Amino acid sequence: MEIGEALKITRKKLNLSQSEMAGDILTKSYYSKIERGIHEINARDLIDILNLHGIRIQDFFEEFNFEKNTFGKSNFDNLHRLVGNAYYQKDTDGLLKVIDAIDKFPNSQNNRLARGLRVEAKLLYQGLKYGPEKIDDETIREVKQLMFNSDNWDELSLTLLSVSLSFFKNDELSAIIKAIVTRNKPDKLTSRNREIVSSILINYLAYSYNRKITKGAALSLTFSWLSELDSSPKNCLTKIYANYFQMLLSGNKEKANQIRQFLNDNGMEDLTRYLAR
């Protein structure tokens, strides 16, 4: 169930209008679009609305996911979406609110999913607040511990790797990338894990370009893996990014600039702003 739909059900149970549910936190118009699934709600606003009406976020998720007094996969999925939204919107307060919400689950200290999401939110918070170079050693150690505390590259391990590439030396990261692409063929992955691996590989291409690494087995395997993605709409942007970095790494900046301009011409300036040049 989407968060907007869950909010609508909760509002009706409380016998509130949309204006009363949104309070002073959101306009009625914007809140209405969240209930209808047109807009997503960010972490800070969701938690503030729930607090306004005396609803704990863990109770809110548990009611709609039937996971009583525990942190489970559906809690992870919902809160992870909030973490992603908060990071994209540079909302450090939202990230702190998600961390606080995770801590309130009774089993969060001993639950790998809860600990993984918490340290991801913490890492992103520190990166936004102080800069990537100021992320503390304890957070980096916890990320690596959780990432490698599994025999397989599961969703959590892949997610943590996607936000921590810059912490690794090139030889370490090259070995990790080779392991991932050889063990996880695109057609064998769930759609979610395929999306995460695609993100990791695009970030690895940016990592390589920024460090002037233009050759190597890991790079060749990366481009080969990305070329195996089908040409469905959900993979289009990934394939464009792969082509962009292939042009950069081969020294064809003129072609790379054409790709960047194409994205800008189609209203994607927010995405190209963070692309390596």
Side-chain angles (χ1 to χ4, degrees), residues 8 25 85 108 133 176 197 259:
K8 181 177 181 180
I25 299 161
N85 289 344
S108 63
E133 68 283 354
I176 291 170
V197 173
I259 296 171

Side-chain angles (χ1 to χ4, degrees), residues 202 205 222-223 226-227 229 236-249 259:
I202 294 300
L205 294 177
T222 293
F223 281 120
L226 292 169
S227 71
L229 291 172
C236 283
L237 190 57
T238 297
K239 284 184 165 289
I240 290 171
Y241 279 169
N243 190 22
Y244 176 78
F245 280 107
Q246 193 160 35
M247 295 302 102
L248 280 183
L249 288 164
I259 296 171

Side-chain angles (χ1 to χ4, degrees), residues 155-173:
E155 182 176 336
L156 179 60
S157 296
L158 291 170
T159 298
L160 291 174
L161 177 61
S162 71
V163 296
S164 62
L165 266 69
S166 61
F167 302 148
F168 291 91
K169 296 178 181 177
N170 180 51
D171 56 347
E172 294 176 314
L173 189 54

Side-chain angles (χ1 to χ4, degrees), residues 19-229:
S19 294
E20 291 169 331
M21 188 68 172
D24 294 330
I25 299 161
L26 295 170
T27 66
K28 175 185 177 296
S29 173
Y30 193 90
Y31 176 81
S32 174
K33 290 176 181 177
I34 290 169
E35 283 197 357
R36 288 182 284 150
I38 298 173
H39 290 328
E40 288 192 351
I41 190 168
N42 64 43
R44 177 173 49 183
D45 292 338
L46 172 64
I47 295 171
D48 285 348
I49 286 174
L50 295 178
N51 286 340
L52 176 66
H53 301 291
I55 304 165
R56 300 188 311 163
I57 191 168
Q58 60 267 41
D59 292 338
F60 176 76
F61 284 148
E62 285 167 1
E63 179 175 359
F64 295 102
N65 295 305
F66 308 102
E67 294 175 353
K68 300 298 183 186
N69 298 315
T70 186
F71 189 100
K73 180 64 168 61
S74 51
N75 302 123
F76 175 87
D77 290 340
N78 281 313
L79 286 166
H80 190 261
R81 188 179 302 119
L82 294 179
V83 167
N85 289 344
Y87 178 70
Y88 182 74
Q89 295 168 6
K90 307 269 190 293
D91 182 6
T92 52
D93 287 343
L95 288 168
L96 288 179
K97 285 180 181 289
V98 173
I99 291 170
D100 183 60
I102 293 169
D103 288 343
K104 289 177 180 175
F105 281 88
N107 68 328
S108 63
Q109 294 298 315
N110 301 312
N111 183 286
R112 182 168 178 266
L113 283 175
R115 289 177 59 209
L117 186 57
R118 187 187 192 283
V119 76
E120 179 188 356
K122 182 181 173 184
L123 182 150
L124 294 175
Y125 169 81
Q126 291 181 7
L128 286 176
K129 188 79 172 179
Y130 309 112
E133 68 283 354
K134 295 292 182 65
I135 294 172
D136 64 59
D137 292 340
E138 178 188 350
T139 300
I140 295 172
R141 279 195 300 271
E142 190 174 1
V143 168
K144 290 185 176 182
Q145 179 187 29
L146 285 164
M147 189 189 309
F148 296 118
N149 189 21
S150 173
D151 293 334
N152 300 307
W153 283 98
D154 60 9
E155 182 176 336
L156 179 60
S157 296
L158 291 170
T159 298
L160 291 174
L161 177 61
S162 71
V163 296
S164 62
L165 266 69
S166 61
F167 302 148
F168 291 91
K169 296 178 181 177
N170 180 51
D171 56 347
E172 294 176 314
L173 189 54
S174 294
I176 291 170
I177 294 297
K178 285 188 280 189
I180 288 173
V181 297
T182 54
R183 296 177 191 174
N184 297 280
K185 295 300 181 183
D187 60 345
K188 303 297 183 184
L189 293 173
T190 65
S191 59
R192 173 60 183 154
N193 281 359
R194 187 163 53 247
E195 177 186 332
I196 300 171
V197 173
S198 297
S199 175
I200 288 169
L201 296 183
I202 294 300
N203 288 340
Y204 175 63
L205 294 177
Y207 171 102
S208 299
Y209 178 72
N210 288 332
R211 287 161 180 76
K212 297 181 171 54
I213 301 163
T214 59
K215 295 180 180 179
L219 275 175
S220 297
L221 288 169
T222 293
F223 281 120
S224 177
W225 192 97
L226 292 169
S227 71
E228 291 177 23
L229 291 172

